[in-house]
Amino acid sequence: MNVDSNTGSEIQSNDYSLQFRRFLDKPAVESRLLLCALASTTAHVEMLRQTGIVEKESAAAILNALAQLTREERAGNHFLLPVDGDVYEAIDRRLRESIGDDVVLLRKAKSKNDQTATDLRLYLRAEVLKLAQLLLDLRKLLIDLATRDIEVVMPGYTHMQPAEAILLSHWWLMNECRFARDFSRLLELFTRINFLPLGACVMAGSREPIDRDFVARKLGFDGVIQNSLDAVTDRDYQIEFAATASLLGLHLSQLGSELLLWATQEYAFITLPRHLLVHSHTMPFKRNPELLEVLRARPSLIFGRLMEFITELKAVPTGFSQDLQESIPGIADVAETLRLLLELAAGILPGIEPDQLRMKEVACADLVNVGNALDYLLERGVEKNIAVRSLEHLSTYCRTRNKYLSDLSLNEWQRYSPAFEMDIYEHISMEDSIGAYCSFGGSSTEQVELALTRAREALQKDEQRLLEQNTKVPPL
Amino acid sequence: MNVDSNTGSEIQSNDYSLQFRRFLDKPAVESRLLLCALASTTAHVEMLRQTGIVEKESAAAILNALAQLTREERAGNHFLLPVDGDVYEAIDRRLRESIGDDVVLLRKAKSKNDQTATDLRLYLRAEVLKLAQLLLDLRKLLIDLATRDIEVVMPGYTHMQPAEAILLSHWWLMNECRFARDFSRLLELFTRINFLPLGACVMAGSREPIDRDFVARKLGFDGVIQNSLDAVTDRDYQIEFAATASLLGLHLSQLGSELLLWATQEYAFITLPRHLLVHSHTMPFKRNPELLEVLRARPSLIFGRLMEFITELKAVPTGFSQDLQESIPGIADVAETLRLLLELAAGILPGIEPDQLRMKEVACADLVNVGNALDYLLERGVEKNIAVRSLEHLSTYCRTRNKYLSDLSLNEWQRYSPAFEMDIYEHISMEDSIGAYCSFGGSSTEQVELALTRAREALQKDEQRLLEQNTKVPPL
Amino acid sequence: MNVDSNTGSEIQSNDYSLQFRRFLDKPAVESRLLLCALASTTAHVEMLRQTGIVEKESAAAILNALAQLTREERAGNHFLLPVDGDVYEAIDRRLRESIGDDVVLLRKAKSKNDQTATDLRLYLRAEVLKLAQLLLDLRKLLIDLATRDIEVVMPGYTHMQPAEAILLSHWWLMNECRFARDFSRLLELFTRINFLPLGACVMAGSREPIDRDFVARKLGFDGVIQNSLDAVTDRDYQIEFAATASLLGLHLSQLGSELLLWATQEYAFITLPRHLLVHSHTMPFKRNPELLEVLRARPSLIFGRLMEFITELKAVPTGFSQDLQESIPGIADVAETLRLLLELAAGILPGIEPDQLRMKEVACADLVNVGNALDYLLERGVEKNIAVRSLEHLSTYCRTRNKYLSDLSLNEWQRYSPAFEMDIYEHISMEDSIGAYCSFGGSSTEQVELALTRAREALQKDEQRLLEQNTKVPPL
Amino acid sequence: MNVDSNTGSEIQSNDYSLQFRRFLDKPAVESRLLLCALASTTAHVEMLRQTGIVEKESAAAILNALAQLTREERAGNHFLLPVDGDVYEAIDRRLRESIGDDVVLLRKAKSKNDQTATDLRLYLRAEVLKLAQLLLDLRKLLIDLATRDIEVVMPGYTHMQPAEAILLSHWWLMNECRFARDFSRLLELFTRINFLPLGACVMAGSREPIDRDFVARKLGFDGVIQNSLDAVTDRDYQIEFAATASLLGLHLSQLGSELLLWATQEYAFITLPRHLLVHSHTMPFKRNPELLEVLRARPSLIFGRLMEFITELKAVPTGFSQDLQESIPGIADVAETLRLLLELAAGILPGIEPDQLRMKEVACADLVNVGNALDYLLERGVEKNIAVRSLEHLSTYCRTRNKYLSDLSLNEWQRYSPAFEMDIYEHISMEDSIGAYCSFGGSSTEQVELALTRAREALQKDEQRLLEQNTKVPPL
């Protein structure tokens, strides 16, 4: 029997070093990692059998034992113990119990270096697909809200000052656009993750006649990583994941942050249902939108993790080292946090009720009409400086008397400029202004309806894209 | 004549606010931004003429004036003055000098909000294409070095301890793999940048019958941004740029960092030519690889900018605001720094001379042969514990006598285990070990030669991909 | 004549490396660094004369030449040229012109390593003192505003929902508390910066009988750095500066961010004077508080620099290296940005006019009275669940009828609970509630007046502390 | 009886929001937080009794119940359940079981806002003191190593190139200097943490005649926070903690990183004992210093958390909000990670064995002697250019013949310059060079011995400083 010396890195944790290993403290994540390790080990042994590197009978025994462990773990009997340095030692321990010394056959043409690299990719690609699904759900939700609110008028802001009246649907769809970009980035990232490191062994490749393509196919990878040094060293995809997650997190935070603003008593644009508010025994009318605060604040965790991963790799030389393992809890943290935040957003959004009256009131508050009135004067040849000053005075007049321009009598108009005549009323209705933004991608009802159609079609295509990736990937 | 009130955001800098604007202190960057503004303004006016929004004659006069300014700026007569709040005020000032009040026609169906968003994309997409070209050059260089060093043997490390002998070519190609990924990310980013915001006006779209597709085609964009709110607000691509730049910067830093190690007297793997070293008058033999230190350190600037951009957008509500402008100097800084670093890497690499003897010496230092000898004993039925102990003693013997395993006589072998026989010599040559890593992507000469072929083909394809994007984009 | 070989690191920039040096692009900063270099060189030469290491006459000639250069630079004749690798080469070049080869005497018992370390501390300590002064100015301003607004009532928020009525003064003073902490941190940092590296030479110390204490006294340092390796390597204070600056920046950003909220039409708590707003020709009533947006956004630059500095030092080994120089532009950037932001805040705050009526209206909106009314019921033995429900209904009644609790007739009160009697009116006045928060540090008028007195005293003490540090430090 | 309506923020978690709360997944940390909450609640109730706000008998019953819960928790019977929203709900639940409705008395003059702020300070100040103690231990260890290695000569580097021979003790002490600064920063931070928020109630202060100083004294605080808004909002100290921890982490990472370098086969400066290495079954001679890699990599987690905390607070308005709670798991993570890293460093350092011969060999490698020889020539009037060239040739000669300058015969010397005479040998011994760096803080044996004395004295003073803080703080 020929033990491959590539397996040299099969390390044995000693008692001292064990305490400085980074445990995840999250049984659910550890269980996923264990299932990844079982899947890659199984595919590897099948390849060893297929290529004749390990005899059929031995291989069969090992595969049986692996299948048994997989069933056990899937059934929720998590078999990682504190004495195990990591999931590999746990598998080793359990296999040795059932197949004895044949456990060393597993190590042929494989090392911890390429296996860890493989299992992390198995773990993360599954997480990425789950997140992509949640993103699709969120986008669907936003499209539904945009469909519902097609008649709700709201103020559009620049510099936090109302500028033009727009449709609330337009705002929902802007959010959908952001998440559609996030979806694209996630799927592109998936195609970079989905390559197989296994077969790189310690880092120079294997001396055995292995078949890496066989393993890649079994595990649903799109191919193998083409340079063995790269295969064990590359962690680009983790940073890219954290960067993609940061953008997605930023969008969720901005959404939460804007909704918090709208939920203030001062804006009073939206109300939240009781179950989304935290209230107190003794101040019954103080209801706190704490969940929106979570949406605003928690993505910061992801930004920090991004910085952690980048810094972790600075000045780390080529080849496997413990530094590359240090990111694992962080990666799991980003994935879990993002999933929670997407679920949170999906839980909050349907409950949000716009106060249509209030929104329209602010939107109509002479935002556009002042501009219209100015145009009116300029078109009638009033000198610009004079026209502007007239409008300033008119506006002060309105504000101090709590009136809108549309409330004014012709008499009042003319007090500020003799150029105003009866047809001024034709220039200042609000409904017109909504219809006016009829350029492609604008906020007119017609344009927003077209945008809704496009959004639904794009969503359908993206569902198809995700489905294709999902079917490639065997379940853990 | 009807002045579009969308132009409302054409702001006038007052003296006080001027001092808190963020100037770039970099005339070359400002000049690029000015050329971007001239290009987008020109395309916009062409569209206004085409759609009849502005009369042919007026449009012709404006286009003439814009062409004149563009020629001037291209010729190096930078016309931005300290009194100008930004490049738009500079263009306004100059146009007013030549075409008078017709300058207001420019503002039709356009605001600073959508124009800034457009010009930043014009600027950044050009930078991205330049960086992509420099990346191709660097990859070509690495492939050339890998071709040159196909016979140089070096130690492969894990945990900074030599593990297996590999080819230096394999290491060069691993670096090439990293930069190939960076290239892909840059091009994908390009496709996300290359959409036109113009036509979103203030943020709700325009009331004029504009033709956004016309402008997109003129400016070489792949299409228009489909939601007007998104068009003026979206800065995702800036964060994505900084994240992509961070990964590329990390790879350059790791390269610099590893070469610094190799350039120490202790490693002594490489020498640098005189012009890449900084030396002193009085300690003539102390030559400092300071440029490699720059390569190691400076990418940190990019990581910090990434964090700046993310934080800058936290809690910024939808719609245009000054916060969105604050990233401009940072974006330019990232682009400039990255260009410098790529040029630096390309300037350093060709000068690096590997010390083949020294590298081989370390690589052969019984790294693999100890493993081979262990296999030998195990195959001959020696019990594992005993075999391991024999090798430990043998190894100590070699080290204390400054010998390699391959130097030992059979007598010396047998002193440590009687199981060693004459055929042990067949198991311990170094050359074999290089050849042994013959799995796909491994470090055997054959595999590395195949990898070289693949790398050259992929490079050619990527050159083609870049060319296609380059031809789409009109020169500034 | 014995040239100290410690001067070995006096490097000579070659043409190639010059282009990868990091230039500051900021003549004002370079000029400061040049003056720092002249100051430390002068003190060093005085010490060399004092200890007899350099003869009196040679020293006198050098000191004359240095004084001449200092005068020139101070007069604004910046003498750094593009051919100079850095400020040291510029000084070298100019000194050689006036004193010839005696320029080498300068290098005795000194290297670029310890001099750079010294000059950066000279530069930064001056910046820190300037920032501390600006902080004092800002604190004084906040105390003045708190004095002015002692009668202005505003809503205090938790979770962005109004909770209790407080005094605007209390809010101003909370901001003052933040900046007072920042001041303390800056001064503590100053005491850590203010130690002299010079005399560490290359990094092992000098072989000459130098007198480091003499130099420290001349330059106003509190002492010398006690370990020569540490003297040339330590950059802790830069990270500490960036961290301190980040907290200060965060406070400025939070201030800007909250004022932006208050300046919305929805809150309408404050108005800004015309010169602090950016307005447009065509939408005269849209005035954009862009300067507040700058205050909110720009501190992100500092956060990014902090991350840059930390990452830059990761894995950099002991001893001088180019990595340590890479932070200089960033340090200058943080100092300049922070100065600008402090000036911006000081420019904005005096112009802010609270809308007392509006603030009071929101503050009185039954926030506290609901709590009071609940207490009233509970004290009268009403069961808690029932009392809470009564108040909920009362509150809905008020909201739908646009009334305050204080507007209700006894009849209306009793409709919701028979336990209400005439004395309920004694429990619900707003003024009482302000007075009620009379615990130490609370928002009662009395407590805020005490807090104002404490703030003024603390400010005076801090002015004294700063004065003491300022007098220690000789002008550049 | 008058229930304080300040207690309004006593919130009741609903089932939905519960799942988005951030649990720590770390029972040990949760238990500490629970003990903090019990301590502050106890001190608060004692104050309520003392001031008569709560009657003596009721107070006694509550205090009994709290004491019982504290004993239980201290004994390891952790009573937090998944149904509890947080530690406060857990205490509420348990108290209600023993004292019934009197549990509402606890809420008098206190809210979750000021209590959370208080408990986090209680938690963190205890962590800071523990970390300070570990820092003292580490500094002691470094001083011991410096004492042990006072005769070990090593090369001092600049730019990773050997520059001068120094003592290993000098290097150990440089590390000690870093950690001494970290200690100072930690203690200064402690004085900023150690102020009491309690009594700020919701955020405006209390209406009851509370005695905040009483509570501060009971809990060992140095005083109370003087502005109630600041008391509930301020989280500066968390960012300052993360920044201080980042610097400390950076120092540990740099230490690990430099020792990893020294542990390479190429440097071969140190060996690590077996229990600090991770080794493999099959490659018995490959021993991996993985624990040093952990020391190098893991501090990145802290840098990321720093960025998280800063970003989390951006744009968060004054007053309590959920955003302020989001940092808790991160704060605990930083504290735990730092403790682990300090223990790891303390576990590794004593095992490190310097290879004195190897270090000396590199240190003597003509680093200093070349400088000496140059001085020799210059002093004898040889023109500088010529002298430098002579030394360059001499150096090449030595290198190619594997000789040191000290090995050369006078004949060989004179081949390169006739100015060399017999006394050249007096200028080139290595021992002299060590002695030569006799300036204050230099690497001469005498100076290092003085430095050792200073370090021991400073350590003693710092032990005293820590003791004083420790005695102030009552145990949890």
Side-chain angles (χ1 to χ4, degrees), chain C residues 17-261:
Chain C
S17 72
L18 212 57
Q19 63 181 305
F20 299 107
R21 290 291 173 90
R22 201 172 194 176
F23 283 109
L24 288 172
D25 302 321
K26 296 194 175 166
V29 175
E30 284 170 334
S31 182
R32 298 295 295 172
L33 290 172
L34 200 51
L35 286 170
C36 293
L38 287 166
S40 63
T41 308
T42 301
H44 182 67
V45 176
E46 286 173 336
M47 183 275 287
L48 294 177
R49 177 181 60 184
Q50 179 77 9
T51 52
I53 297 172
V54 163
E55 283 166 35
K56 284 221 155 59
E57 279 155 51
S58 308
I62 302 172
L63 289 170
N64 264 340
L66 286 168
Q68 172 56 31
L69 287 182
T70 304
R71 273 191 302 275
E72 203 176 301
E73 187 67 30
R74 274 188 192 150
N77 303 318
H78 188 46
F79 63 77
L80 185 69
L81 299 181
V83 296
D84 300 319
D86 52 28
V87 294
Y88 307 105
E89 293 189 14
I91 294 175
D92 235 54
R93 179 176 49 73
R94 288 298 309 277
L95 285 181
R96 190 171 292 280
E97 288 166 23
S98 59
I99 57 166
D101 281 349
D102 265 12
V103 75
V104 299
L105 295 174
L106 280 188
R107 297 184 195 152
K108 276 176 162 293
K110 180 166 76 69
S111 88
K112 193 185 157 188
N113 305 356
D114 59 343
Q115 178 149 29
T116 305
T118 303
D119 295 346
L120 267 171
R121 285 174 187 255
L122 287 174
Y123 169 75
L124 192 53
R125 77 174 182 183
E127 293 301 307
V128 164
L129 293 179
K130 273 185 246 165
L131 292 169
Q133 183 58 56
L134 290 171
L135 258 179
L136 286 181
D137 298 346
L138 186 60
R139 286 167 62 190
K140 178 149 189 340
L141 197 52
L142 287 163
I143 292 173
D144 288 348
L145 290 166
T147 308
R148 182 192 75 179
D149 294 337
I150 189 76
E151 296 193 338
V152 181
V153 174
M154 66 170 271
Y157 293 85
T158 65
H159 306 283
M160 296 184 80
Q161 301 296 319
E164 296 173 339
I166 60 172
L167 295 181
L168 177 52
S169 292
H170 199 49
W171 186 86
W172 288 125
L173 286 177
M174 180 218 60
N175 280 284
E176 201 273 337
C177 287
R178 289 178 171 176
F179 295 121
R181 277 195 298 278
D182 291 322
F183 181 87
S184 279
R185 277 186 285 259
L186 268 187
L187 279 213
E188 281 169 23
L189 168 62
F190 177 86
T191 65
R192 264 189 290 273
I193 297 177
N194 206 30
F195 282 85
L196 177 76
L198 215 63
C201 295
V202 171
M203 53 106 207
S206 174
R207 311 193 205 172
E208 303 283 348
I210 58 175
D211 182 347
R212 297 180 69 198
D213 284 329
F214 177 94
V215 179
R217 274 194 311 277
K218 280 276 167 192
L219 291 169
F221 281 104
D222 291 322
V224 304
I225 298 181
Q226 303 209 347
N227 180 298
S228 61
L229 272 178
D230 193 40
V232 299
T233 309
D234 173 35
R235 294 295 184 273
D236 281 12
Y237 67 94
Q238 296 186 358
I239 292 176
E240 205 181 335
F241 173 60
T244 304
S246 289
L247 264 170
L248 174 44
L250 182 61
H251 295 151
L252 290 166
S253 174
Q254 288 178 320
L255 177 61
S257 173
E258 199 149 13
L259 291 174
L260 268 171
L261 212 59

Side-chain angles (χ1 to χ4, degrees), chain A residues 264-424:
Chain A
T264 59
Q265 295 194 13
E266 290 74 14
Y267 276 79
F269 281 7
I270 55 168
T271 52
L272 291 167
R274 207 169 243 270
H275 77 281
L276 293 176
L277 293 164
V278 176
H279 61 285
S280 73
H281 301 280
T282 49
M283 275 182 115
F285 309 101
K286 182 101 174 4
R287 303 237 173 72
N288 299 322
E290 293 192 12
L291 291 174
L292 287 174
E293 290 172 338
V294 170
L295 204 54
R296 173 173 68 182
R298 197 164 301 171
S300 296
L301 179 150
I302 302 171
F303 312 154
R305 291 294 191 181
L306 170 58
M307 209 34 56
E308 172 189 337
F309 301 155
I310 291 177
T311 316
E312 214 142 61
L313 292 181
K314 192 211 161 192
V316 171
T318 307
F320 191 77
S321 70
Q322 195 54 27
D323 310 65
L324 303 181
Q325 299 292 86
E326 287 286 312
S327 56
I328 302 175
I331 289 294
D333 195 16
V334 172
E336 302 281 299
T337 299
L338 210 45
R339 196 156 63 194
L340 195 95
L341 288 170
L342 283 165
E343 284 166 1
L344 178 57
I348 290 173
L349 290 182
I352 287 174
E353 276 300 325
D355 183 332
Q356 304 196 23
L357 232 62
R358 164 71 180 158
M359 277 183 155
K360 192 165 189 171
E361 184 190 79
V362 176
C364 303
D366 291 340
L367 294 177
V368 177
N369 286 336
V370 165
N372 290 349
L374 184 67
D375 286 359
Y376 181 97
L377 290 182
L378 294 174
E379 278 176 48
R380 268 142 202 84
V382 178
E383 214 231 296
K384 182 147 180 197
N385 281 347
I386 292 168
V388 166
R389 203 152 334 123
S390 299
L391 266 300
E392 286 187 325
H393 292 152
L394 247 173
S395 179
T396 309
Y397 174 81
C398 285
R399 215 178 309 142
T400 53
R401 271 161 195 75
N402 209 17
K403 285 185 168 187
Y404 293 120
L405 284 180
S406 49
D407 302 334
L408 302 185
S409 66
L410 183 57
N411 198 13
E412 286 171 302
W413 281 103
Q414 291 177 339
R415 231 180 279 161
Y416 294 93
S417 170
F420 286 118
E421 301 196 23
M422 208 57 208
D423 62 345
I424 177 64

Side-chain angles (χ1 to χ4, degrees), chain B residues 60-90:
Chain B
I62 302 173
L63 289 169
N64 264 341
L66 285 168
Q68 172 56 30
L69 287 182
T70 304
R71 274 193 300 275
E72 201 175 304
E73 187 66 31
R74 275 189 190 148
N77 302 319
H78 186 47
F79 62 77
L80 186 68
L81 298 181
V83 297
D84 300 320
D86 52 27
V87 294
Y88 307 104
E89 294 188 14

Side-chain angles (χ1 to χ4, degrees), chain D residues 300-331:
Chain D
S300 296
L301 178 149
I302 301 171
F303 312 154
R305 291 292 192 180
L306 170 58
M307 209 34 58
E308 173 189 338
F309 300 155
I310 291 177
T311 317
E312 214 143 59
L313 293 182
K314 193 213 162 192
V316 170
T318 307
F320 190 78
S321 71
Q322 195 55 26
D323 311 65
L324 303 181
Q325 299 293 85
E326 286 286 312
S327 56
I328 302 176
I331 289 293

